[in-house]
Amino acid sequence: MPAWLRPLLLPVLIFLLSGIAHRAAAQQSTLDKLLLEEQQPQPDTSRVLLLCRISDQYWALRTDSAEAYARRALALAQRTGYRHGEGEALNRLGAALRESNLTRALELFQESLRLATAMNDRALQAQNLRSIGIIYVYLRDKRQGLAYYFQALRIGEELGDERRIVIELSNIGLGYDLFNQLDSASYYQERAYALAKRLNASTNYILYGLGQVARKQGRFAEARDYYRRSIAESRALKHQRSANFAYVGLATLYQQLGQPDSSTYYARLGCQAGQNNGFLRGVLNASTLLTQNFKASGPPDSALKYQSLVLAMKDTLFGQEKVMRLQSIDYRERQRAQQAEAEQAALKTRYRTYALVAGVLALLLLVALLVRHDRQQQQVNAALEASLAELKSTQFQLVQREKMAFLGELTAGVAHELQNPLGFVKQFAAVSTDLIDEINGAQRLARDGKLEREILDGLKQNLLNISQHGQRATAIIKGMLEHSRTGTAEREATDLNVLAQENLDLAYQGLQLTDPAFSALRGTDFDNSLQPVAVVAPDLGRVLLNLCTNALYAVRQRQLQNGESGYQPEVNVSTRRLKDAVEIRVRDNGTGIPDAVKAKIFQPFFTTKPVGEGTGLGLSLSHDIVSSGHGGTLTVQSAEGVGTEFLITLPLN
């Protein structure tokens, strides 16, 4: 940098950083002000719109909080019959659910769009057109996604809303970037950036988009500058979602430049930002980069960890069932539009029939109309059948591609993980063969008892190593098989008291194998009047075993950490018959769960145990088995330093 430029650069940097800090303070101040305003008395219509604005502010920070305020706004709007507020709340709820439930988000946006169209609310129409366009861009449907974006842009221009135009231009640029049309992407991002600077609006997403174009065009220094400016503005604004985009972009840039350490560092930051915000798609992108980096440079455990996270995110976002449901929604929307057209045509036919019912000419005209209507109906039916066949074909191709991708990644990960123990087995087997040759040679030359003992001791140690690494390979395979179960077993009438007792005993015996000195009280309070319940016994047994194992682990940790005098570890299991359900409770007097952790314990791959002692899948799989497999609920109540109680509720019908 020239020396004469440095004195001029410092004031510019101070000005830029002060502007970013000012906007961040303004955002935090805005949220605090809205939360205080929400506590004040006000009309229901004003409160609905206020809750929507609070949801908007939380959307950049935590999507679960944004969802909670959107649901409150929707409930109040529906209860008071406030249609505009209902449309606004539906859109906010769809935005909050877009990452965790793409299908439900699309339903909410379409419902909000129908309300906006009925009320001729142009601003709300543009908002929903943009939101629907984002979903189709996610699905790599270029034509549909950009079509919705440009409709939203046209409405923004008609309304003269320049801040809305900035967002639409940037989204169009990001859409073209996704499909690698870099000239168009650069054109719309430059327009968005110029307008945003004039309005003094946020540019964090736009800077990311400009960085994407520069990186793909090989202008790496410019790309790095754009990404870093986007990160700085996102962090100042506490905007976790845009921070994820910029971190992943910078990690991709360093991967292209052959700097894996820097790539891994920024990919980890991107993954954390996505998890903090609940942005699953951002977690998927960051985990994919981390998997690639760790596969190339190790360690294998980290590669397998992030590969598992990639699979979990893909299953959540692009699972076969979700693809089918999403296509079903699109099909229903087309069918609804065609049905509306058919009903309108029938209404016109009815009016003509009333006008011409007096004479034979009217009767002939009516017959002609009925024939025409029948032909149109046949054409509509044929078009619907062709559309359904096309949807099924597309669905099959998508599912097959996902299956092949999953299978390839899973096979590579398992093979890579099994190479280490199998390599040790081969190595120690070869050394054992050499030792046998040595002892045979020693016996032929001269019998030496000390030498024989040393060789036999080495041979015994090698056999123990072979057994150890063989067991490790077996454990890897067993773990993969456990996680590949599909849960399609038939339900059978099962005595839940016996099932609970068996799994409590099994968990206790398993812990004593690792720590023979450990002991705990095991209490039961079973409802003897409880009749057998139709459940998938192996799956429900896995849930009970996991809960009992965690309870025993918690009491053991409290015993080891605190050394309380008079403390007696205790785990209790109870069952109770309700009117239409059955309750199973697993309670312990262990360490308890902090409030900050309690909200995350059912998330996949979240664990508080040390590395090597837990995978973070136990409670997630248990929750899925109870809720999805049995239609029940799994909840937790805990107090730190007092104990924890898990409650399973299973419906009888």
Side-chain angles (χ1 to χ4, degrees):
M1 179 185 296
W4 60 271
L5 186 59
R6 293 175 184 171
L8 299 177
L9 184 60
L10 182 59
V12 174
L13 289 175
I14 294 174
F15 173 77
L16 291 174
L17 292 174
S18 65
I20 293 173
H22 175 73
R23 287 197 296 272
Q27 184 194 37
Q28 188 62 34
S29 174
T30 300
L31 178 57
D32 294 339
K33 185 186 300 182
L34 292 174
L35 291 173
L36 288 174
E37 186 178 349
E38 196 266 333
Q39 298 175 10
Q40 304 301 319
Q42 55 194 289
D44 289 337
T45 54
S46 300
R47 185 173 297 278
V48 169
L49 298 180
L50 177 60
L51 291 171
C52 289
R53 291 165 61 194
I54 295 175
S55 179
D56 286 339
Q57 293 293 319
Y58 268 120
W59 182 80
L61 301 173
R62 289 187 58 85
T63 53
D64 52 357
S65 299
E67 177 187 349
Y69 279 95
R71 289 191 184 278
R72 287 180 57 190
L74 179 59
L76 180 57
Q78 290 175 336
R79 188 169 65 250
T80 57
Y82 182 32
R83 298 187 69 202
H84 171 73
E86 182 179 356
E88 295 282 352
L90 286 168
N91 178 270
R92 270 50 170 207
L93 184 56
L97 294 176
R98 185 163 52 212
E99 300 306 324
S100 60
N101 193 336
L102 199 63
T103 303
R104 180 58 180 154
L106 180 55
E107 290 175 341
L108 293 167
F109 291 145
Q110 289 171 335
E111 186 177 355
S112 179
L113 179 59
R114 285 193 294 272
L115 279 174
T117 303
M119 296 183 295
N120 196 29
D121 188 337
R122 300 291 284 165
L124 185 56
Q125 281 181 275
Q127 182 83 4
N128 284 290
L129 289 169
R130 177 205 307 158
S131 300
I132 296 173
I134 290 173
I135 288 183
Y136 280 103
V137 169
Y138 278 177
L139 297 174
R140 299 300 191 270
D141 190 334
K142 173 184 173 183
R143 184 181 62 83
Q144 286 275 59
L146 290 176
Y148 279 107
Y149 280 166
F150 279 107
Q151 288 182 64
L153 176 60
R154 282 195 295 272
I155 293 176
E157 291 171 341
E158 291 171 6
L159 296 174
D161 189 341
E162 292 187 321
R163 291 187 177 273
R164 184 181 299 276
I165 291 172
V166 168
I167 298 173
E168 312 302 355
L169 290 171
S170 181
N171 275 336
I172 292 172
L174 291 174
Y176 277 120
D177 168 69
L178 185 64
F179 301 111
N180 290 317
Q181 294 182 243
L182 302 183
D183 290 340
S184 297
S186 178
Y187 169 75
Y188 285 101
Q189 294 291 8
E190 291 289 351
R191 284 183 59 189
Y193 185 76
L195 184 55
K197 295 299 289 184
R198 182 166 65 82
L199 298 173
N200 195 29
S202 299
T203 59
N204 44 330
Y205 277 111
I206 303 172
L207 290 169
Y208 161 77
L210 292 170
Q212 287 288 96
V213 173
R215 177 178 61 80
K216 292 181 179 181
Q217 290 180 341
R219 297 181 283 116
F220 297 132
E222 292 181 41
R224 184 187 295 111
D225 179 65
Y226 282 129
Y227 288 140
R228 287 177 173 171
R229 288 167 61 190
S230 176
I231 290 170
E233 186 169 341
S234 298
R235 293 176 63 182
L237 294 172
K238 297 184 179 179
H239 202 306
Q240 299 280 1
R241 185 176 296 249
S242 63
N244 166 269
F245 278 107
Y247 281 135
V248 172
L250 193 55
T252 306
L253 172 64
Y254 280 120
Q255 188 184 70
Q256 286 182 246
L257 294 174
Q259 300 179 31
D261 291 341
S262 297
S263 176
T264 299
Y265 172 76
Y266 286 105
R268 285 183 188 272
L269 292 177
C271 188
Q272 185 62 48
Q275 289 174 327
N276 290 343
N277 181 255
F279 184 28
L280 304 187
R281 199 170 305 273
V283 176
L284 171 62
N285 294 335
S287 301
T288 301
L289 282 174
L290 289 167
T291 301
Q292 294 170 356
N293 290 342
F294 284 124
K295 280 185 177 180
S297 60
D301 290 343
S302 296
L304 185 59
K305 168 187 172 183
Y306 285 105
Q307 184 174 344
S308 300
L309 187 56
V310 167
L311 294 176
M313 294 300 100
K314 283 187 175 180
D315 181 65
T316 301
L317 294 170
F318 307 113
Q320 178 179 0
E321 180 182 350
K322 290 182 174 57
V323 173
M324 292 174 65
R325 289 183 60 197
L326 191 61
Q327 293 175 342
S328 175
I329 290 171
D330 185 66
Y331 171 75
R332 289 201 304 270
E333 285 299 312
R334 295 183 187 179
Q335 191 178 42
R336 184 179 299 164
Q338 292 170 346
Q339 183 179 359
E341 292 177 3
E343 290 174 354
Q344 187 177 5
L347 184 61
K348 292 180 180 179
T349 302
R350 189 179 304 116
Y351 287 146
R352 291 173 182 172
T353 303
Y354 291 154
L356 301 175
V357 71
V360 177
L361 184 60
L363 181 59
L364 292 175
L365 181 59
L366 176 60
V367 172
L369 289 173
L370 289 174
V371 171
R372 179 187 176 190
H373 176 73
D374 183 64
R375 290 178 180 175
Q376 289 179 341
Q377 191 64 41
Q378 291 178 359
Q379 293 174 355
V380 169
N381 291 339
L384 288 175
E385 290 177 359
S387 177
L388 180 60
E390 181 181 354
L391 286 173
K392 287 183 177 180
S393 175
T394 304
Q395 167 196 322
F396 179 78
Q397 293 174 7
L398 286 172
V399 171
Q400 291 302 315
R401 283 199 293 267
E402 284 296 323
K403 282 183 178 179
M404 294 306 295
F406 288 170
L407 182 60
E409 293 177 0
L410 186 60
T411 302
V414 174
H416 186 73
E417 188 66 19
L418 288 175
Q419 281 180 351
N420 288 337
L422 295 179
F424 281 114
V425 169
K426 291 169 61 179
Q427 177 183 350
F428 285 116
V431 173
S432 298
T433 302
D434 293 340
L435 290 174
I436 291 173
D437 291 340
E438 288 183 17
I439 194 170
N440 287 336
Q443 287 177 343
R444 284 196 300 267
L445 295 175
R447 189 168 184 87
D448 186 342
K450 181 178 179 181
L451 178 59
E452 287 182 4
R453 282 193 302 274
E454 291 178 355
I455 294 174
L456 289 174
D457 289 342
L459 182 58
K460 179 179 179 181
Q461 184 60 42
N462 285 350
L463 292 175
L464 290 174
N465 288 331
I466 290 173
S467 174
Q468 176 186 354
H469 290 285
Q471 290 173 1
R472 181 184 172 197
T474 300
I476 293 171
I477 294 172
K478 181 180 178 182
M480 297 304 297
L481 290 175
E482 283 290 327
H483 291 295
S484 68
R485 293 184 59 186
T486 60
T488 58
E490 294 290 336
R491 294 196 183 196
E492 297 178 351
T494 304
D495 188 333
L496 297 185
N497 293 339
V498 174
L499 187 66
Q501 183 69 61
E502 290 176 350
N503 284 281
L504 174 60
D505 294 340
L506 185 60
Y508 186 71
Q509 293 166 7
L511 186 56
Q512 280 201 321
L513 287 176
T514 59
D515 185 2
F518 172 75
S519 66
L521 294 178
R522 290 168 291 159
T524 58
D525 183 12
F526 295 144
D527 186 346
N528 294 325
S529 65
L530 182 63
Q531 298 297 317
V533 180
V535 296
V536 182
D539 288 355
L540 189 58
R542 290 175 64 194
V543 174
L544 292 170
L545 179 61
N546 180 261
L547 296 180
C548 293
T549 300
N550 286 348
L552 290 167
Y553 178 87
V555 299
R556 179 171 177 264
Q557 289 299 109
R558 180 174 176 180
Q559 187 180 50
L560 294 176
Q561 293 172 1
N562 300 332
E564 303 174 25
S565 61
Y567 172 69
Q568 176 61 55
E570 184 175 357
V571 175
N572 290 280
V573 180
S574 63
T575 60
R576 186 160 66 102
R577 166 69 186 269
L578 304 178
K579 182 178 179 181
D580 297 317
V582 175
E583 283 187 352
I584 305 176
R585 297 176 182 267
V586 179
R587 187 176 70 254
D588 66 72
N589 63 343
T591 56
I593 304 173
D595 291 337
V597 174
K598 205 181 302 180
K600 303 178 182 179
I601 61 173
F602 294 122
Q603 295 179 4
F605 303 102
F606 178 81
T607 180
T608 59
K609 294 181 180 179
V611 176
E613 292 192 23
T615 64
L617 287 171
L619 286 176
S620 173
L621 291 172
S622 297
H623 187 274
D624 187 60
I625 289 170
V626 173
S627 59
S628 300
H630 291 81
T633 60
L634 175 58
T635 57
V636 61
Q637 292 183 348
S638 183
E640 193 170 2
V642 177
T644 302
E645 180 178 75
F646 283 90
L647 171 60
I648 301 172
T649 304
L650 301 174
L652 291 176
N653 298 322

